[in-house]
Amino acid sequence: MAEQYAKGDTVRAIKAAGEPSRPMRLPLPNGLLPKDSNHLYVTVADGSNHTYKIACSPKGWKKITLGRGWQRFYHEYKLQPSNILLFKHKGRDDFSVRIFQSPGVERTYDVSGDDSGDVTPPRVPRNRTPATQAPRRRLGCINVPRSAAAAEVEQTFQSEHPFFIMHITKRLLGIHFLPNVPHFGDDVNDDVMVTLTSGEISVRAVYARYVGQRRRNCGSISQGWAKFLTKCNITVPKLAVFEISRTQPDVQLLVQFVDFE
């Protein structure tokens, strides 16, 4: 169930994990997410700050169905159908989640292969000074791959940086810019210099965010993109993995090109 809320309230949803083969539908108003958002980010309250990107779509006005990424989350946290999940909306498309074996008894969060046990959450002294935490940085893939080949790369690619995957198609090889690049983060300006790096090759380019609310989460890379492809000798379609290794004072992208069938 979802709590009734007014503007400014924290939105929570409580839901049984259910069978992994069945769709997970969260009782949340689909207007809760940013307009045109097709994914959400879920972080388990285990202290690891490991964030999962999960595709989602509206189901009517009061439900959101989770898609690609949900089964991975389910299996890595060894969920059981009877487990209770408490989702808490943290803003925009960010959620934290706590996992309970039974009412009031929270699970240990072990994803290493050992069996999960029960643990009652400890009481934290009210007069304890909270530790200063660095701003959380999203990890994993920040866009939703649109093909089986890209999805396979998403599942197997490992990086300490957030990354996104794009098809460098025959059409894109013939133009001087790269369109529909996901925006790099809330701390990044709408127009920034970008350093594209692949091995020993490094080229400066320009990123410009699209105007208008509908396409606000994307932009394009130009003024250097075509030169970068030429220097990397990219003449046939490839998958490209872009690791966002730095966003300040400018953006640095580490690029790997991958063959696909």
Side-chain angles (χ1 to χ4, degrees), residues 126-140:
R126 292 183 178 273
N127 60 353
R128 181 178 179 182
T129 302
T132 301
Q133 294 185 350
R136 179 174 61 85
R137 192 180 185 197
R138 284 178 181 160
L139 297 178

PDB file of all heavy atoms in Angstrom, residues 126-140:
ATOM      1  N   ARG A 126      20.119   9.272  20.227  1.00  0.00           N
ATOM      2  CA  ARG A 126      19.659  10.524  19.642  1.00  0.00           C
ATOM      3  C   ARG A 126      20.695  11.624  19.711  1.00  0.00           C
ATOM      4  O   ARG A 126      20.674  12.553  18.922  1.00  0.00           O
ATOM      5  CB  ARG A 126      18.374  10.982  20.331  1.00  0.00           C
ATOM      6  CG  ARG A 126      17.181  10.082  20.055  1.00  0.00           C
ATOM      7  CD  ARG A 126      15.924  10.632  20.720  1.00  0.00           C
ATOM      8  NE  ARG A 126      14.777   9.788  20.425  1.00  0.00           N
ATOM      9  CZ  ARG A 126      14.017   9.927  19.349  1.00  0.00           C
ATOM     10  NH1 ARG A 126      14.289  10.867  18.467  1.00  0.00           N
ATOM     11  NH2 ARG A 126      12.986   9.130  19.145  1.00  0.00           N
ATOM     12  N   ASN A 127      21.621  11.527  20.681  1.00  0.00           N
ATOM     13  CA  ASN A 127      22.605  12.588  20.819  1.00  0.00           C
ATOM     14  C   ASN A 127      23.888  12.308  20.042  1.00  0.00           C
ATOM     15  O   ASN A 127      24.860  13.020  20.178  1.00  0.00           O
ATOM     16  CB  ASN A 127      22.957  12.812  22.296  1.00  0.00           C
ATOM     17  CG  ASN A 127      23.528  11.550  22.936  1.00  0.00           C
ATOM     18  OD1 ASN A 127      23.539  10.500  22.308  1.00  0.00           O
ATOM     19  ND2 ASN A 127      23.993  11.667  24.178  1.00  0.00           N
ATOM     20  N   ARG A 128      23.859  11.258  19.224  1.00  0.00           N
ATOM     21  CA  ARG A 128      25.035  10.924  18.443  1.00  0.00           C
ATOM     22  C   ARG A 128      25.168  11.895  17.276  1.00  0.00           C
ATOM     23  O   ARG A 128      24.214  12.166  16.557  1.00  0.00           O
ATOM     24  CB  ARG A 128      24.921   9.491  17.907  1.00  0.00           C
ATOM     25  CG  ARG A 128      26.129   9.049  17.100  1.00  0.00           C
ATOM     26  CD  ARG A 128      25.961   7.621  16.643  1.00  0.00           C
ATOM     27  NE  ARG A 128      27.077   7.180  15.845  1.00  0.00           N
ATOM     28  CZ  ARG A 128      27.157   5.984  15.300  1.00  0.00           C
ATOM     29  NH1 ARG A 128      26.186   5.105  15.494  1.00  0.00           N
ATOM     30  NH2 ARG A 128      28.190   5.646  14.575  1.00  0.00           N
ATOM     31  N   THR A 129      26.370  12.413  17.062  1.00  0.00           N
ATOM     32  CA  THR A 129      26.609  13.332  15.960  1.00  0.00           C
ATOM     33  C   THR A 129      26.751  12.530  14.678  1.00  0.00           C
ATOM     34  O   THR A 129      27.614  11.653  14.578  1.00  0.00           O
ATOM     35  CB  THR A 129      27.895  14.144  16.191  1.00  0.00           C
ATOM     36  OG1 THR A 129      27.773  14.848  17.420  1.00  0.00           O
ATOM     37  CG2 THR A 129      28.127  15.118  15.033  1.00  0.00           C
ATOM     38  N   PRO A 130      25.896  12.776  13.687  1.00  0.00           N
ATOM     39  CA  PRO A 130      25.983  11.993  12.460  1.00  0.00           C
ATOM     40  C   PRO A 130      27.272  12.263  11.723  1.00  0.00           C
ATOM     41  O   PRO A 130      27.793  13.374  11.724  1.00  0.00           O
ATOM     42  CB  PRO A 130      24.766  12.484  11.639  1.00  0.00           C
ATOM     43  CG  PRO A 130      24.474  13.847  12.174  1.00  0.00           C
ATOM     44  CD  PRO A 130      24.845  13.789  13.640  1.00  0.00           C
ATOM     45  N   ALA A 131      27.803  11.206  11.110  1.00  0.00           N
ATOM     46  CA  ALA A 131      29.040  11.348  10.340  1.00  0.00           C
ATOM     47  C   ALA A 131      28.774  12.157   9.084  1.00  0.00           C
ATOM     48  O   ALA A 131      27.700  12.081   8.488  1.00  0.00           O
ATOM     49  CB  ALA A 131      29.588   9.959   9.970  1.00  0.00           C
ATOM     50  N   THR A 132      29.752  12.934   8.689  1.00  0.00           N
ATOM     51  CA  THR A 132      29.628  13.716   7.468  1.00  0.00           C
ATOM     52  C   THR A 132      29.784  12.783   6.277  1.00  0.00           C
ATOM     53  O   THR A 132      30.748  12.030   6.183  1.00  0.00           O
ATOM     54  CB  THR A 132      30.706  14.806   7.411  1.00  0.00           C
ATOM     55  OG1 THR A 132      30.562  15.644   8.559  1.00  0.00           O
ATOM     56  CG2 THR A 132      30.575  15.636   6.145  1.00  0.00           C
ATOM     57  N   GLN A 133      28.821  12.830   5.376  1.00  0.00           N
ATOM     58  CA  GLN A 133      28.840  11.944   4.226  1.00  0.00           C
ATOM     59  C   GLN A 133      29.056  12.753   2.958  1.00  0.00           C
ATOM     60  O   GLN A 133      28.494  13.831   2.792  1.00  0.00           O
ATOM     61  CB  GLN A 133      27.532  11.159   4.110  1.00  0.00           C
ATOM     62  CG  GLN A 133      27.328  10.186   5.257  1.00  0.00           C
ATOM     63  CD  GLN A 133      26.085   9.355   5.051  1.00  0.00           C
ATOM     64  OE1 GLN A 133      25.285   9.632   4.158  1.00  0.00           O
ATOM     65  NE2 GLN A 133      25.904   8.339   5.864  1.00  0.00           N
ATOM     66  N   ALA A 134      29.882  12.206   2.060  1.00  0.00           N
ATOM     67  CA  ALA A 134      30.053  12.848   0.763  1.00  0.00           C
ATOM     68  C   ALA A 134      28.793  12.644  -0.059  1.00  0.00           C
ATOM     69  O   ALA A 134      28.055  11.671   0.150  1.00  0.00           O
ATOM     70  CB  ALA A 134      31.255  12.224   0.041  1.00  0.00           C
ATOM     71  N   PRO A 135      28.494  13.554  -0.964  1.00  0.00           N
ATOM     72  CA  PRO A 135      27.312  13.378  -1.805  1.00  0.00           C
ATOM     73  C   PRO A 135      27.366  12.043  -2.533  1.00  0.00           C
ATOM     74  O   PRO A 135      28.396  11.643  -3.061  1.00  0.00           O
ATOM     75  CB  PRO A 135      27.415  14.556  -2.793  1.00  0.00           C
ATOM     76  CG  PRO A 135      28.273  15.561  -2.104  1.00  0.00           C
ATOM     77  CD  PRO A 135      29.237  14.767  -1.270  1.00  0.00           C
ATOM     78  N   ARG A 136      26.243  11.316  -2.533  1.00  0.00           N
ATOM     79  CA  ARG A 136      26.207  10.008  -3.180  1.00  0.00           C
ATOM     80  C   ARG A 136      26.264  10.164  -4.692  1.00  0.00           C
ATOM     81  O   ARG A 136      25.578  10.985  -5.282  1.00  0.00           O
ATOM     82  CB  ARG A 136      24.920   9.262  -2.801  1.00  0.00           C
ATOM     83  CG  ARG A 136      24.806   7.898  -3.464  1.00  0.00           C
ATOM     84  CD  ARG A 136      23.601   7.166  -2.943  1.00  0.00           C
ATOM     85  NE  ARG A 136      22.374   7.867  -3.230  1.00  0.00           N
ATOM     86  CZ  ARG A 136      21.713   7.758  -4.378  1.00  0.00           C
ATOM     87  NH1 ARG A 136      22.189   7.007  -5.359  1.00  0.00           N
ATOM     88  NH2 ARG A 136      20.590   8.406  -4.571  1.00  0.00           N
ATOM     89  N   ARG A 137      27.087   9.369  -5.312  1.00  0.00           N
ATOM     90  CA  ARG A 137      27.218   9.401  -6.760  1.00  0.00           C
ATOM     91  C   ARG A 137      26.632   8.135  -7.334  1.00  0.00           C
ATOM     92  O   ARG A 137      26.921   7.043  -6.871  1.00  0.00           O
ATOM     93  CB  ARG A 137      28.696   9.513  -7.147  1.00  0.00           C
ATOM     94  CG  ARG A 137      28.912   9.852  -8.608  1.00  0.00           C
ATOM     95  CD  ARG A 137      30.390   9.939  -8.898  1.00  0.00           C
ATOM     96  NE  ARG A 137      30.614  10.368 -10.262  1.00  0.00           N
ATOM     97  CZ  ARG A 137      31.766  10.221 -10.904  1.00  0.00           C
ATOM     98  NH1 ARG A 137      32.782   9.679 -10.272  1.00  0.00           N
ATOM     99  NH2 ARG A 137      31.911  10.639 -12.133  1.00  0.00           N
ATOM    100  N   ARG A 138      25.776   8.278  -8.313  1.00  0.00           N
ATOM    101  CA  ARG A 138      25.168   7.112  -8.914  1.00  0.00           C
ATOM    102  C   ARG A 138      26.220   6.244  -9.592  1.00  0.00           C
ATOM    103  O   ARG A 138      27.141   6.732 -10.220  1.00  0.00           O
ATOM    104  CB  ARG A 138      24.147   7.540  -9.960  1.00  0.00           C
ATOM    105  CG  ARG A 138      22.859   8.044  -9.361  1.00  0.00           C
ATOM    106  CD  ARG A 138      21.934   8.496 -10.460  1.00  0.00           C
ATOM    107  NE  ARG A 138      20.697   8.997  -9.911  1.00  0.00           N
ATOM    108  CZ  ARG A 138      19.864   9.794 -10.562  1.00  0.00           C
ATOM    109  NH1 ARG A 138      20.159  10.186 -11.782  1.00  0.00           N
ATOM    110  NH2 ARG A 138      18.753  10.210  -9.998  1.00  0.00           N
ATOM    111  N   LEU A 139      26.034   4.934  -9.446  1.00  0.00           N
ATOM    112  CA  LEU A 139      26.898   3.992 -10.121  1.00  0.00           C
ATOM    113  C   LEU A 139      26.067   3.195 -11.116  1.00  0.00           C
ATOM    114  O   LEU A 139      24.850   3.226 -11.106  1.00  0.00           O
ATOM    115  CB  LEU A 139      27.572   3.061  -9.108  1.00  0.00           C
ATOM    116  CG  LEU A 139      28.503   3.728  -8.091  1.00  0.00           C
ATOM    117  CD1 LEU A 139      29.060   2.693  -7.138  1.00  0.00           C
ATOM    118  CD2 LEU A 139      29.628   4.475  -8.787  1.00  0.00           C
ATOM    119  N   GLY A 140      26.769   2.479 -11.971  1.00  0.00           N
ATOM    120  CA  GLY A 140      26.066   1.669 -12.941  1.00  0.00           C
ATOM    121  C   GLY A 140      25.649   2.469 -14.161  1.00  0.00           C
ATOM    122  O   GLY A 140      26.043   3.618 -14.365  1.00  0.00           O
TER     123      GLY A 140
END
